[in-house]
Amino acid sequence: MPEIKELEKQYLEADILVVGGGVTGCFAALQAAERGLKVVLISKSLVGKGGCSRSATNLAGGPPQAYMSSEAREELGRVQKEVRAEPRRELPEKQKALLSMFCAYLGHYLLDQDYALDASAWTREYFYNWFEEHGLYIRRMADGSLISSTGPVHQKQVWAPRQGQTGPQLMDLLRHEVFANDNIRVVEECRATGLLTRGGEVTGGVGLGMRDGKLYVISAGATFLCTGQAARVTTRTTATREVFGEGYVMALDAGAELKDLELWFIHVVDNKDPITYNQHCYPNPNPNTDKTPHMFNSYGEFFFTPDQFTQGTTAMYHLQYKRTVQQIMQGKAKWDGEYYSSYRHMTGEFDREYQAARRAFDHLGFMNVGEEMIENAMNFEANFIGGIRVDEKTQQTRVPGLYAPGGAGGHSSFVWCCYCAQVATAHAEKRVRDMGMPQPAPEQVREVETRLLGSLRSGKEGGYHPGVVMTKIRRVMTEALFPWKNEEKLQTGLKELRRVEEEMLPQMGLEATGLNYNQGWLDAVDVPDMLEFCGLLLLASLERKESRGPFFRDDYPYTDNENWLAHNVVAKVDGKLEFRRVPAELKYVRPEGGRVDYFKVIY
């Protein structure tokens, strides 16, 4: 086959370029289109069919007032409106207590507290109404409150209509709305491969169309990186193949900063086998009950249930992780098995109508989860704090024209992603209304094209397929990150990644060099970004010399509120990585000072 020296190009223009077809990207595109802006949305997979959003299980992250009666919601709304106009709000004690628990359990006291308050109020006033008006079925009681879990200690959760099925319901709705809107041009199965810049601003991006092998060059007044997170970098993960960090790498190369990459949640209650059937035993109550699964070690000893904690939120993953780590240290469990989840105490309340896990196991027929315990193993999950650093009031990075709402900016959950998308769109509208359409620089387009064509090469005898290189990277990262971190493991991981870069990448090649639907080519394009992100993750883990939330180093087994109540920020300066600490802004609530035992705190 003759060597391909140039790709066919298609030039597009938009007010806003949205990169990513998950909940953030779809909602941002619709918000912009409703304002009369022209949008181009490119998605690595089919819109609404891949990434994290499709796999999501409930509408976690909603504020407690969503579950109140209509009268109680109106009263709390009045109080919130009264305090919102103040630069530093005087919060009612009840709201301050809720905020403290929220920041502790979900943000480990690094979450921007004004962001948490604003997102909560927006959710109450806008989120549920918008989705119900557009056809999402959310179950409600007669007084207008939402059907959820019960019990006094748990922040409640909403299912639409059942636990385990919210993602498909919501994403199918958004996909339909996106394709029905004439202001949105969609290019599916198009992998973003670079950002266009001019004068220190981002002016659009370039994408590789996997259906046709075209290079899509999109000029835009504002660019939204809605690429999600990067959990697909270990052998065990809850993530789909789309999410492993290319958005972070593109942002960093364009001049943006990243923060807190190391604070990655680890699920400890996913089933061990089969690894392809990733079923999660939720640490929050099932709908219409206040009971949660119990956890047991290999000796049959009970060691965890969320009821042990008086929490105000359902983000118990880091507490499950802490308790499981203690069992591993005592030789009573392993990170990849020999500990269990049990629903046996929930007989009669484990409702098939709501609980997706039981229906799935019943259908497969190999386990009666009402009587048998489920063997668990750790999986890499998500980062609720870390990602591309943005101004929380605009969702813009420090590079004008580049925004990172949702998961890419460290804000997971449906409601947070949608709130970020709305904030970014409101700010970007002001920007694009006052500017002309930027034109792409030919040399930048050619640079991207050259890099892509360099990956389109046949494999040689003794060489490596991109999939083999990816598998090697995931094994290296698994060794470095599970079940905990320390200096030796992280340094070994960095050495192994350098070996992959030096020895395997030059020998990487493809089985076929066609342009259409060439999955091997897409993997070859992905590998360098995956490798760079994994290096960043290990370096960030070395920088944070403490343990906090889901991040545990056995060589620093304490939470250091004296030195590390701070964001771990990295940027490229003259082509080299530079880390710095940025103190967390604690306007309303804060934890105790000094160093505290990691296993004794709830954050």
Side-chain angles (χ1 to χ4, degrees):
M1 186 174 180
E3 180 183 3
I4 299 172
K5 297 183 178 180
E6 187 174 357
L7 298 173
E8 181 182 350
K9 300 175 186 64
Q10 184 166 353
Y11 291 85
L12 302 173
E13 293 183 348
D15 294 311
I16 296 178
L17 166 62
V18 175
V19 181
V23 62
T24 312
C26 288
F27 198 73
L30 289 167
Q31 288 285 303
E34 288 176 3
R35 296 168 183 263
L37 301 176
K38 296 295 184 181
V39 179
V40 171
L41 187 158
I42 65 174
S43 176
K44 191 174 184 179
S45 63
L46 299 178
V47 170
K49 300 293 185 179
C52 298
S53 303
R54 188 85 184 174
S55 304
T57 53
N58 51 47
L59 297 179
Q65 55 263 42
Y67 312 94
M68 299 175 177
S69 66
S70 56
E71 293 80 6
R73 287 201 303 270
E74 289 175 4
E75 174 60 21
L76 184 55
R78 181 188 63 77
V79 174
Q80 287 184 328
K81 288 179 180 178
E82 288 176 356
V83 301
R84 193 181 309 162
E86 298 296 327
R88 180 181 174 86
R89 314 172 204 199
E90 294 300 326
L91 302 182
E93 285 304 314
K94 183 176 181 180
Q95 192 174 15
K96 186 179 291 187
L98 287 171
L99 178 64
S100 182
M101 287 187 286
F102 194 76
C103 290
Y105 280 87
L106 195 59
H108 325 299
Y109 285 105
L110 299 180
L111 177 67
D112 184 282
Q113 295 177 14
D114 276 321
Y115 170 90
L117 292 169
D118 291 338
S120 177
W122 178 87
T123 304
R124 173 183 56 80
E125 296 168 1
Y126 192 84
F127 177 86
Y128 293 109
N129 290 337
W130 191 93
F131 277 97
E132 286 182 311
E133 288 171 1
H134 287 76
L136 183 66
Y137 172 46
I138 302 178
R139 297 187 173 191
R140 290 183 180 269
M141 303 295 285
D143 66 358
S145 61
L146 303 172
I147 290 182
S148 64
S149 50
T150 61
V153 301
H154 299 282
Q155 178 185 324
K156 298 170 175 48
Q157 302 237 323
V158 183
W159 285 263
R162 298 183 179 92
Q163 184 185 39
Q165 292 187 343
T166 303
Q169 294 274 333
L170 190 143
M171 293 314 303
D172 285 348
L173 181 153
L174 288 177
R175 176 180 171 86
H176 176 271
E177 293 292 320
V178 164
F179 277 95
N181 197 302
D182 292 335
N183 282 343
I184 304 173
R185 166 71 184 272
V186 177
V187 185
E188 293 186 296
E189 295 178 304
C190 181
R191 201 280 203 192
T193 54
L195 296 174
L196 299 173
T197 60
R198 186 184 65 187
E201 300 189 3
V202 168
T203 58
V206 180
L208 176 63
M210 298 311 300
R211 294 177 177 178
D212 50 22
K214 285 183 182 179
L215 203 61
Y216 289 83
V217 183
I218 306 108
S219 299
T223 299
F224 289 10
L225 283 179
C226 305
T227 48
Q229 303 202 349
R232 189 64 173 151
V233 295
T234 60
T235 55
R236 291 193 62 96
T237 176
T238 61
T240 57
R241 73 160 309 279
E242 294 90 358
V243 284
F244 59 80
E246 72 268 29
Y248 300 150
V249 174
M250 285 190 290
L252 190 68
D253 289 342
E257 295 177 320
L258 309 180
K259 67 168 185 175
D260 303 326
L261 295 179
E262 67 279 4
L263 297 179
W264 224 271
F265 274 81
I266 293 178
H267 271 180
V268 299
V269 285
D270 292 302
N271 62 283
K272 178 184 177 181
D273 294 312
I275 193 171
T276 52
Y277 178 62
N278 182 14
Q279 185 60 57
H280 185 50
C281 305
Y282 292 89
N284 43 273
N286 293 312
N288 283 341
T289 176
D290 62 353
K291 293 186 178 180
T292 64
H294 288 172
M295 296 183 69
F296 294 84
N297 62 27
S298 60
Y299 288 75
E301 299 169 339
F302 165 80
F303 70 88
F304 181 85
T305 180
D307 295 327
Q308 295 169 312
F309 303 89
T310 306
Q311 79 275 21
T313 181
T314 53
M316 303 296 293
Y317 300 140
H318 65 293
L319 296 179
Q320 288 179 316
Y321 171 74
K322 289 184 181 189
R323 300 301 177 265
T324 306
V325 162
Q326 290 178 310
Q327 298 300 311
I328 296 171
M329 288 179 162
Q330 296 170 22
K332 297 179 178 180
K334 296 179 180 179
W335 78 266
D336 58 350
E338 298 187 16
Y339 66 96
Y340 305 85
S341 288
S342 171
Y343 292 98
R344 293 178 299 181
H345 61 293
M346 299 170 66
T347 303
E349 294 183 87
F350 191 42
D351 194 345
R352 288 179 176 84
E353 171 67 11
Y354 292 96
Q355 230 296 339
R358 180 157 192 176
R359 293 196 308 278
F361 280 118
D362 286 351
H363 180 73
L364 292 172
F366 65 82
M367 178 178 290
N368 182 346
V369 296
E371 298 179 3
E372 301 175 65
M373 293 197 297
I374 304 168
E375 187 173 13
N376 297 144
M378 291 184 176
N379 274 351
F380 215 49
E381 162 64 359
N383 193 321
F384 287 90
I385 298 297
I388 303 169
R389 191 171 182 230
V390 298
D391 178 343
E392 299 292 6
K393 295 192 179 300
T394 66
Q395 296 301 306
Q396 186 173 229
T397 70
R398 69 173 184 173
V399 184
L402 180 62
Y403 298 76
H411 296 305
S412 294
S413 88
F414 279 138
V415 293
W416 282 19
C417 287
C418 291
Y419 172 69
C420 291
Q422 192 272 340
V423 169
T425 303
H427 187 266
E429 180 184 18
K430 298 175 184 177
R431 171 184 169 82
V432 301
R433 296 288 191 197
D434 298 330
M435 65 182 295
M437 182 59 61
Q439 295 302 309
E443 65 276 11
Q444 293 181 14
V445 177
R446 183 58 186 167
E447 181 182 348
V448 173
E449 183 179 34
T450 300
R451 174 162 47 85
L452 294 174
L453 290 175
S455 301
L456 191 68
R457 61 175 186 262
S458 298
K460 299 178 182 179
E461 186 175 351
Y464 303 97
H465 187 274
V468 174
V469 181
M470 286 180 159
T471 298
K472 174 62 177 178
I473 294 171
R474 291 183 180 116
R475 287 174 177 166
V476 169
M477 295 300 288
T478 299
E479 289 294 322
L481 300 175
F482 288 98
W484 51 72
K485 298 86 176 168
N486 56 46
E487 175 94 16
E488 181 181 0
K489 291 176 63 181
L490 295 169
Q491 292 288 7
T492 298
L494 286 171
K495 291 178 182 177
E496 289 298 314
L497 291 182
R498 283 194 291 269
R499 186 174 299 171
V500 171
E501 183 177 12
E502 294 169 0
E503 298 178 7
M504 298 184 76
L505 254 61
Q507 301 298 319
M508 189 171 68
L510 310 180
E511 295 176 350
T513 57
L515 298 181
N516 300 343
Y517 282 110
N518 189 336
Q519 183 61 52
W521 186 21
L522 178 59
D523 288 342
V525 172
D526 287 345
V527 165
D529 285 349
M530 180 182 184
L531 194 60
E532 182 173 353
F533 170 74
C534 288
L536 285 166
L537 177 53
L538 297 186
L539 287 170
S541 299
L542 282 167
E543 285 291 320
R544 185 174 287 277
K545 293 177 172 58
E546 66 152 1
S547 297
R548 181 177 297 271
F551 178 77
F552 175 56
R553 288 184 59 163
D554 65 348
D555 48 353
Y556 293 94
Y558 49 80
T559 300
D560 188 352
N561 288 328
E562 180 179 352
N563 299 300
W564 275 105
L565 197 55
H567 298 290
N568 186 16
V569 176
V570 62
K572 280 187 177 178
V573 180
D574 297 326
K576 296 182 179 180
L577 295 176
E578 288 191 3
F579 284 87
R580 64 189 178 96
R581 272 182 259 183
V582 178
E585 187 174 3
L586 305 170
K587 292 179 69 173
Y588 311 109
V589 297
R590 63 171 53 243
E592 65 270 48
R595 292 178 177 179
V596 291
D597 188 332
Y598 171 73
F599 292 107
K600 291 182 179 179
V601 295
I602 62 170
Y603 55 88

